[in-house]
Amino acid sequence: MADQSIIRITKEIGELQKSSDLSLAVAFRDRDVRSVKALIIGPHETPYEFGFFEFAVKFNKDYPRKSPNVTGTTTNSGRCRFNPNIYASGKVCLSILGTWRGERGEEWSAAQGLESILLSIQSLMSSNPYENEPGFEDANESHDKKNQKEYIAKIRHETLRISVIQRLEEYLGITGSCLEPPTPTERDEYDLDMDDDIDIDDASVPWEPFKDLCKRRFLWYYDSYLETIKKAKEEVKDGQPFVRMPFEGTSNTMDGKFNYTELEQRIRRIKAVLDAEPEKWAVEGVSARMKDATVSVNLTRQYEQIRESFKRSDVPHSIELVNENPFVWNLTYFGRPMTNLDGGMFRIKLNFSPRFPEEQPRIKFLTSMFHHRIAADGTPCYFPNPNRREDIKQHIDAIIEALEEEQPPYDPRTLVHPEAHKLYWGSPDERKTYNRQLRRSVQRSMEDF
């Protein structure tokens, strides 16, 4: 039974890791498949939008006959209740977990699994989470609407402050006043020296499987975070206290004050530190190249193979190393004929970490392109094959596919350029405006090349 349980858990984790769902991620240490970490990225157009919410999942030996134990860990050390059904203690109230009484047929069954649990939790992160409170349908309408608005407002604030800003600051070692620019020490201290021999199983070293993912997604959603702050500043004032909801108890609350001015400063500071990170990788890369480190040899080999494949191809794309550093590449992309990109010439910079592929490439368009899949700062939103993270050619192919896709399905999780996204998915007239702006950026690329 125990072996069957482990086989089932491993299969479910593998399927999730191969999934194209951009809002869910799972990880476990090889030594303990029954202890899983899961990340849920907050849905678009909710107060949880693009927040990073982590959960600990413990599978018992009777799984799947019995549901696993699930605990929320994004709680600001037990001080923040993010939902009527997600307590400050981390308790998650769901009928399928046996932590809440549900209607007949809503209880756990062996046909359910890890994905259904995570999707059920994600469904709690709705546009109006106040509705999750039992007895909501019987509440006084006028008073209740006021509570809903105030509850949504403070969840939006704490989603940014705790799940995004606080998380990234911890990852990056950012400390001190947010009014000051990041110091060289702060930019450096979060990265382990590449020559250090660290035992990853050392209990003193925090296990952070979503660190790189959250960094990259922060860059995707940076402009959306700023847009959220801008809108929220029009609704609440700095220093205004949160309103306690009727269902919030003494030790199960979300207390605090609004301070979006400070959040904006902290968001911008995180962005500055993340933007400096590839520069540090480049310096480390020089040292790694001199020592013929394995990652340096691997990157050099892949560079040479891709360069030759471009030469043999009928497309004129080209690549070159920057200062002969295998950790920094320049890719020149030429727009496909008979499309809105026709005639465009765009330079794209690829930075690689000495810890590649554990840390994925940091990629940026040096030539500006107005595109719904490219952030204003040049960060592309693309989907590499999760089973081939070490294959740089498939990263490049995925970027080109994102640029050239003619009829992409609507997906709010790819909202990396708010203005371009709104125009692209808007009315026919807005789509025409989008196409005109894209063509202008293509024309400018030819002039600036």
Side-chain angles (χ1 to χ4, degrees):
M1 183 67 176
D3 289 344
Q4 290 299 316
S5 175
I6 290 176
I7 290 172
R8 166 77 177 258
I9 297 166
T10 304
K11 181 175 182 291
E12 289 187 22
I13 292 172
E15 289 174 349
L16 272 169
Q17 290 177 333
K18 295 175 185 176
S19 169
S20 60
D21 191 328
L22 302 176
S23 61
L24 302 178
V26 294
F28 70 97
R29 282 179 162 174
D30 290 338
R31 65 186 182 187
D32 188 7
V33 71
R34 294 189 185 278
S35 296
V36 174
K37 283 192 175 185
L39 186 77
I40 297 176
I41 298 180
H44 177 49
E45 294 185 340
T46 75
Y48 304 94
E49 184 170 59
F50 304 144
F52 305 117
F53 298 92
E54 195 168 310
F55 296 83
V57 184
K58 301 286 187 182
F59 291 90
N60 52 60
K61 293 182 180 180
D62 292 326
Y63 184 81
R65 276 199 311 110
K66 293 184 179 180
S67 64
N69 295 317
V70 180
T71 304
T73 57
T74 305
T75 63
N76 195 26
S77 300
R79 296 190 295 271
C80 186
R81 179 181 185 176
F82 266 106
N83 189 282
N85 291 44
I86 304 175
Y87 292 3
S89 65
K91 179 180 179 180
V92 180
C93 289
L94 277 175
S95 55
I96 64 170
L97 296 177
T99 51
W100 186 254
R101 61 186 183 279
E103 300 296 329
R104 185 176 178 83
E106 292 181 349
E107 63 274 5
W108 175 259
S109 77
Q112 295 166 323
L114 180 56
E115 183 175 20
S116 62
I117 291 171
L118 298 180
L119 291 175
S120 294
I121 296 173
Q122 189 180 52
S123 71
L124 298 175
M125 300 177 182
S126 63
S127 59
N128 185 11
Y130 194 88
E131 295 178 345
N132 295 328
E133 172 58 15
F136 165 78
E137 62 276 5
D138 300 323
N140 176 274
E141 186 174 348
S142 60
H143 179 69
D144 189 57
K145 284 185 177 179
K146 185 174 184 295
N147 277 342
Q148 292 176 49
K149 182 178 180 181
E150 291 171 338
Y151 192 49
I152 288 169
K154 69 178 185 177
I155 288 178
R156 182 178 291 115
H157 185 276
E158 295 301 84
T159 289
L160 281 171
R161 186 178 73 88
I162 296 171
S163 80
V164 178
I165 295 172
Q166 188 170 289
R167 175 182 291 270
L168 268 294
E169 286 176 341
E170 289 173 358
Y171 285 161
L172 298 169
I174 297 176
T175 58
S177 170
C178 65
L179 300 176
E180 302 168 359
T183 66
T185 300
E186 286 176 341
R187 289 197 297 267
D188 294 346
E189 67 181 3
Y190 63 88
D191 252 333
L192 298 173
D193 189 278
M194 61 179 294
D195 294 326
D196 287 347
D197 184 14
I198 299 295
D199 179 4
I200 60 172
D201 287 331
D202 186 342
S204 65
V205 178
W207 179 49
E208 298 289 358
F210 308 121
K211 183 175 180 179
D212 183 60
L213 183 150
C214 289
K215 287 182 182 181
R216 289 182 285 113
R217 292 298 182 86
F218 176 92
L219 293 172
W220 279 16
Y221 301 134
Y222 173 70
D223 288 323
S224 292
Y225 296 143
L226 291 181
E227 192 170 82
T228 294
I229 290 173
K230 180 180 178 182
K231 291 178 180 177
K233 277 185 172 182
E234 299 172 358
E235 300 175 3
V236 297
K237 296 180 179 179
D238 286 351
Q240 180 179 326
F242 296 163
V243 175
R244 179 171 290 192
M245 297 295 105
F247 54 82
E248 292 183 328
T250 304
S251 60
N252 193 18
T253 64
M254 179 184 277
D255 295 329
K257 296 180 180 180
F258 293 99
N259 193 340
Y260 276 109
T261 298
E262 180 184 286
L263 296 194
E264 181 177 357
Q265 293 164 345
R266 291 167 69 182
I267 283 268
R268 293 185 183 279
R269 191 181 195 192
I270 290 169
K271 177 67 160 57
V273 175
L274 282 175
D275 284 345
E277 190 172 44
E279 299 171 16
K280 184 173 188 293
W281 291 354
V283 173
E284 291 178 337
V286 172
S287 175
R289 175 172 172 255
M290 296 294 290
K291 297 176 182 177
D292 282 333
T294 301
V295 64
S296 176
V297 173
N298 173 37
L299 289 171
T300 300
R301 186 185 74 254
Q302 291 204 55
Y303 165 75
E304 292 171 349
Q305 291 173 342
I306 295 171
R307 183 180 61 180
E308 288 304 312
S309 73
F310 280 157
K311 287 181 180 179
R312 296 191 301 268
S313 172
D314 57 355
V315 295
H317 310 322
S318 64
I319 58 169
E320 60 183 3
L321 297 184
V322 177
N323 298 324
E324 301 301 315
N325 188 343
F327 291 82
V328 189
W329 303 10
N330 271 346
L331 165 68
T332 302
Y333 164 79
F334 291 83
R336 185 155 56 92
M338 307 300 291
T339 70
N340 279 332
L341 302 173
D342 190 0
M345 295 179 288
F346 297 89
R347 284 198 179 276
I348 308 167
K349 192 173 186 180
L350 290 77
N351 282 92
F352 299 93
S353 164
R355 289 154 292 280
F356 174 79
E358 284 72 26
E359 288 180 311
Q360 289 283 277
R362 203 68 60 77
I363 298 171
K364 184 167 288 191
F365 276 64
L366 302 181
T367 309
S368 177
M369 181 192 288
F370 186 85
H371 195 285
H372 66 97
R373 291 281 289 275
I374 302 176
D377 73 344
T379 299
C381 169
Y382 72 101
F383 318 133
N385 186 326
N387 297 320
R388 298 171 56 199
R389 299 167 67 247
E390 74 290 343
D391 183 350
I392 300 170
K393 180 63 161 59
Q394 67 91 17
H395 281 270
I396 294 173
D397 290 343
I399 293 168
I400 294 174
E401 181 181 346
L403 293 178
E404 298 180 348
E405 191 172 15
E406 294 183 354
Q407 293 183 321
Y410 174 73
D411 190 341
R413 297 168 298 183
T414 65
L415 202 168
V416 298
H417 192 305
E419 181 188 359
H421 190 275
K422 181 177 181 296
L423 291 174
Y424 189 87
W425 300 108
S427 66
D429 285 342
E430 287 175 319
R431 177 67 71 90
K432 290 179 182 177
T433 300
Y434 169 87
N435 289 332
R436 283 196 296 270
Q437 294 207 42
L438 173 58
R439 283 302 303 167
R440 287 194 194 108
S441 68
V442 168
Q443 291 164 0
R444 284 195 298 268
S445 77
M446 294 183 283
E447 298 166 359
D448 299 340
F449 205 84

